[in-house]
């Protein structure tokens, strides 16, 4: 029985490898085309496009994992079915449930690998690609076009117009309010340098103080300000939500909600990581009836149907995510719904076949 388990696991790993070799270069090539569109802007060169595409591959692999699982298992089990090996295993006394344990086990290992990549590898490489591309294109990371980076706590609103690099910002505005929400001071700094921890130094500063019906204005070359943000917070604010690790997303969502800010985009990105795991499990379950439920179908037909299902799932997931963000639906429900629906569908299909 151990020999059969190893053989099945080997075939599943081969199938996953084939699906990875097909899907990852394909989507990597599409990413490369997008990167090549910026060649010639600023100091961005062809080698930068190839390097950034390579840095984005771990993130792309994580995104493709559910579809790699689906196609890989269909390829592996389909090859066994075409070669009558599944029939031989059934004659030898192995039930479909027993045979299905091998793809489930290998798929769960792949899921664990993607979780490790998502926490420790993909975010760092993706952020490096975003940062190097922005520097080469002479662009700064911002939350909105020409709007800068906005954040706040209970009594302060901070706007950073442009991040020049990790330790320096330009076009900085700070608004300080009293407990009743009335504006006390407005400070504008042409530049802000992050000295140490949460201590900032403003340069070329203009400060306006509001007292009653009077406004007093003063200018100074520099001043220090103890920020409510630390360098990690600033770094997180300049990164797209999908490029953050699960722990970074969790901490940032908690920070945004604690300071009364909109956190839906980051909360949705966090829950979509959980939703991606559910979708991977669903694809594992769906790949089994594709083979056992289509005995007369050839491998090519199975792959075509599986590919159409994968595309449909991807489009459904994207539509649900964007609608949920637009309509301010519950992020957890929005992110988990596609995976839960697919698991229910797979369970129903499996019960009918087995």
């Amino acid at each position: 029985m151990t020999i059969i388990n190893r053989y099945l696991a080997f075939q599943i790993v081969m199938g996953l490898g084939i699906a990875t070799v097909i899907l990852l270069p394909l989507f990597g090539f599409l990413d490369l085309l997008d990167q090549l569109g910026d060649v010639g802007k600023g100091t961005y060169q062809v080698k930068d496009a190839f390097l950034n595409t390579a840095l984005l591959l771990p993130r792309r692999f994580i995104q493709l994992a559910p579809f790699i699982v689906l196609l890989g298992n269909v390829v592996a089990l389909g090859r066994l079915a075409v070669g009558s090996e599944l029939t031989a295993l059934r004659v030898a006394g192995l039930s479909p449930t027993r045979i299905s344990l091998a793809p489930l086990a290998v798929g769960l290992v792949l899921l664990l690998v993607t979780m490790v990549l998502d926490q420790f590898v993909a975010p760092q490489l993706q952020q490096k690609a975003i940062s190097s591309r922005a520097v080469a294109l002479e662009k700064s990371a911002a939350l909105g076009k020409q709007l800068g980076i906005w954040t706040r706590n209970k009594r302060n609103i901070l706007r950073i117009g442009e991040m020049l690099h990790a330790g320096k910002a330009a076009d900085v505005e700070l608004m300080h309010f009293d407990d009743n929400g009335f504006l006390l001071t407005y400070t504008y700094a042409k530049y802000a340098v992050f000295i140490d921890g949460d201590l900032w130094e403003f340069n070329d500063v203009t400060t306006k103080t509001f007292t009653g019906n009077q406004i007093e204005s003063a200018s100074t070359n520099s001043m220090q300000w103890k920020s409510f943000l630390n360098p990690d917070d600033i770094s997180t604010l300049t990164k797209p939500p999908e490029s953050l690790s699960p722990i970074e997303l969790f901490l940032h969502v908690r920070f945004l909600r604690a300071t009364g800010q909109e956190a839906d985009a980051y909360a949705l990105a966090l829950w979509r990581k959980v939703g991606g795991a559910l979708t991977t499990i669903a694809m594992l379950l769906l790949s089994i009836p594709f083979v056992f439920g289509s005995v007369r179908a050839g491998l090519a037909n199975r792959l075509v149907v599986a590919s159409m299902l994968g595309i449909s799932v991807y489009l459904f997931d994207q539509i649900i995510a964007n609608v949920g963000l637009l309509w301010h639906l519950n992020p957890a429900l929005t992110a988990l719904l596609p995976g839960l629906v697919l698991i229910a569908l797979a369970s129903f299909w499996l019960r009918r076949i087995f």
Side-chain angles (χ1 to χ4, degrees):
M1 194 64 68
T2 302
I3 295 176
I4 293 177
N5 291 336
R6 290 178 179 175
Y7 179 73
L8 288 173
F10 174 75
Q11 292 298 321
I12 298 300
V13 170
M14 288 288 292
L16 295 178
I18 292 172
T20 302
V21 168
I22 293 174
L23 292 177
L24 194 58
L26 174 62
F27 282 84
F29 178 71
L30 296 177
D31 288 335
L32 178 61
L33 292 179
D34 182 56
Q35 297 284 339
L36 289 174
D38 289 325
V39 170
K41 300 177 182 178
T43 60
Y44 200 67
Q45 302 176 11
V46 173
K47 65 177 182 179
D48 298 317
F50 277 92
L51 176 60
N52 287 342
T53 301
L55 292 174
L56 293 173
L57 286 179
R59 172 61 64 198
R60 187 60 72 188
F61 175 78
I62 293 170
Q63 295 170 341
L64 293 173
F67 314 108
I68 289 174
V69 164
L70 175 64
L71 293 180
N73 281 341
V74 171
V75 167
L77 295 176
R79 290 175 62 220
L80 293 176
V82 170
S84 300
E85 292 176 83
L86 283 184
T87 303
L89 291 174
R90 295 288 300 277
V91 171
L94 272 72
S95 66
T97 303
R98 178 65 183 80
I99 296 172
S100 302
L101 292 179
L104 288 175
V106 175
L108 291 176
V109 171
L110 178 64
L111 178 60
L112 180 61
V113 170
T114 61
M115 292 171 64
V116 173
L117 287 175
D118 202 10
Q119 178 60 45
F120 300 106
V121 180
Q124 291 79 359
L125 295 181
Q126 184 177 4
Q127 291 160 17
K128 183 177 180 180
I130 293 172
S131 176
S132 62
R133 182 173 180 271
V135 171
L137 295 175
E138 299 177 352
K139 294 180 178 179
S140 63
L143 296 182
K145 185 177 181 181
Q146 297 180 343
L147 296 178
I149 303 164
W150 290 83
T151 186
R152 56 168 290 184
N153 65 359
K154 291 182 179 180
R155 299 185 61 179
N156 298 281
I157 294 178
L158 175 68
R159 187 189 78 88
I160 300 174
E162 185 178 18
M163 288 296 300
L164 300 179
H165 52 74
K168 188 174 183 180
D171 188 24
V172 178
E173 295 178 280
L174 174 65
M175 287 151 275
H176 180 65
F177 299 84
D178 63 16
D179 292 333
N180 296 319
F182 292 102
L183 182 63
L184 296 179
T185 60
Y186 167 84
T187 303
Y188 172 82
K190 189 173 182 180
Y191 298 104
V193 179
F194 311 147
I195 299 176
D196 181 33
D198 56 1
L199 187 62
W200 295 18
E201 182 178 83
F202 289 168
N203 297 313
D204 295 334
V205 185
T206 300
T207 302
K208 295 182 180 181
T209 304
F210 301 85
T211 54
N213 295 325
Q214 294 184 341
I215 302 177
E216 298 180 1
S217 181
S219 300
T220 182
N221 291 329
S222 66
M223 63 174 284
Q224 292 187 348
W225 175 59
K226 188 174 179 61
S227 173
F228 56 89
L229 297 175
N230 58 46
D232 289 338
D233 293 327
I234 288 292
S235 178
T236 302
L237 282 170
T238 61
K239 300 170 185 174
E242 65 275 7
S243 72
L244 300 175
S245 69
I247 292 179
E248 287 177 320
L249 280 169
F250 173 77
L251 295 176
H252 192 57
V253 168
R254 189 171 65 175
F255 163 75
L256 291 174
R257 287 176 174 168
T259 54
Q261 301 179 70
E262 178 63 50
D264 282 357
Y266 290 91
L268 180 61
L270 175 60
W271 281 106
R272 287 192 75 184
K273 293 182 182 295
V274 182
L278 288 180
T279 303
T280 301
I281 294 173
M283 292 302 192
L284 278 170
L285 298 175
L286 283 170
S287 64
I288 296 169
F290 259 108
V291 177
F292 290 103
S294 307
V295 178
R296 297 181 181 178
L299 180 58
N301 292 335
R302 294 187 179 103
L303 288 175
V304 169
V305 176
S307 300
M308 293 177 62
L309 175 63
I311 294 172
S312 301
V313 169
Y314 176 79
L315 293 176
F316 177 64
D317 181 65
Q318 294 296 316
I319 291 171
I320 291 295
N322 285 285
V323 168
L325 197 59
L326 181 64
W327 290 354
H328 301 285
L329 301 179
N330 184 279
L333 178 62
T334 301
L336 300 182
L337 181 61
L340 293 174
V341 170
L342 287 172
I343 289 177
L345 175 63
S347 301
F348 174 75
W349 198 357
L350 286 169
R351 282 197 300 268
R352 292 195 59 183
I353 292 175
F354 296 160

